């Protein structure tokens, strides 16, 4: 593994990019973001529970405290399972295709495979999100129109990054 330049996401968080060369025709790029911060988790939990305790003192209904605990736990589980991506991997095998894998904080993995015959081009796209950001996209061939593009697939989509 080689050391790559440092990268950051659109919010300024650190990202680590690793490149592995298995053979001249097989490469893997792995983009990792930091794990869930205990400090931010504690801050959100305390805020929700303090607000619930404030409502409890006004209403004197213990159901509010139970609901706050339940909502906090469901929110955390939903965030870890559907939102928080720890690592994204792009495996490129020249003659076969491109495999994109997203690993969530809960352990869930989503894998997408694109056959090399369907790939028209790989481009760097730009978008404006409070500032200009650049991200990698794969253009897929349109089966009906030979010169057309059927789909634009962003690579490392949730971890859109810019050079720090």
């Amino acid at each position: 593994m080689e050391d790559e330049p440092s990268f950051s996401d659109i919010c300024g968080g650190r990202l680590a990019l690793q490149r592995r060369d298995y053979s001249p025709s097989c490469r893997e790029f792995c983009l990792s973001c930091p794990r869930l911060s205990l400090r931010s988790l504690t801050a959100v939990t305390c805020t929700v529970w303090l607000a619930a305790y404030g409502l409890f003192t006004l209403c004197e209904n213990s159901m509010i405290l139970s609901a706050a605990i339940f909502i906090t736990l469901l929110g955390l589980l939903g965030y870890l399972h559907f939102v928080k991506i720890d690592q994204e991997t792009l495996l490129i095998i020249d003659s076969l295709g491109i495999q994109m894998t997203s690993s969530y904080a809960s352990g869930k993995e989503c894998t997408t495979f694109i056959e090399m015959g369907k790939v028209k081009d790989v481009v760097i796209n730009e978008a404006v999100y409070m500032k200009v950001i650049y991200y990698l996209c794969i253009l897929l061939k349109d089966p009906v129109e030979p010169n057309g593009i059927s789909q634009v697939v962003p690579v490392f989509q949730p971890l859109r990054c810019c050079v720090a």
Side-chain angles (χ1 to χ4, degrees), residues 14-101:
R14 287 185 169 240
L15 297 175
L17 177 67
Q18 297 174 340
R19 176 183 171 172
R20 297 180 188 102
D21 291 318
Y22 297 110
S23 72
S25 63
C26 181
R27 293 169 300 286
E28 181 179 49
F29 298 92
C30 181
L31 189 63
S32 304
C33 65
R35 301 273 180 188
L36 184 63
S37 166
L38 187 60
R39 180 178 295 174
S40 63
L41 176 64
T42 304
V44 170
T45 303
C46 287
T47 303
V48 170
W49 288 1
L50 284 173
Y53 186 71
L55 285 173
F56 169 72
T57 56
L58 292 174
C59 302
E60 295 182 7
N61 185 354
S62 63
M63 206 55 174
I64 293 174
L65 295 176
S66 300
I69 293 171
F70 188 67
I71 289 170
T72 305
L73 289 174
L74 283 180
L76 177 63
L77 289 174
Y79 177 75
L80 292 176
H81 194 68
F82 297 111
V83 178
K84 177 70 171 116
I85 294 179
D86 280 342
Q87 179 177 334
E88 284 196 305
T89 305
L90 182 70
L91 178 65
I92 304 168
I93 303 173
D94 289 347
S95 60
L96 195 58
I98 300 170
Q99 177 178 303
M100 298 182 294
T101 304

Side-chain angles (χ1 to χ4, degrees), residues 72-133:
T72 305
L73 289 174
L74 283 180
L76 177 63
L77 289 174
Y79 177 75
L80 292 176
H81 194 68
F82 297 111
V83 178
K84 177 70 171 116
I85 294 179
D86 280 342
Q87 179 177 334
E88 284 196 305
T89 305
L90 182 70
L91 178 65
I92 304 168
I93 303 173
D94 289 347
S95 60
L96 195 58
I98 300 170
Q99 177 178 303
M100 298 182 294
T101 304
S102 298
S103 301
Y104 290 82
S106 66
K108 173 180 135 182
E109 285 193 356
C110 291
T111 302
T112 304
F113 183 78
I114 302 171
E115 294 176 29
M116 199 54 83
K118 293 182 179 180
V119 175
K120 180 174 178 121
D121 204 355
V122 177
V123 297
I124 297 175
N125 214 355
E126 67 180 3
V128 177
Y129 182 85
M130 306 271 223
K131 61 180 178 178
V132 177
I133 60 170

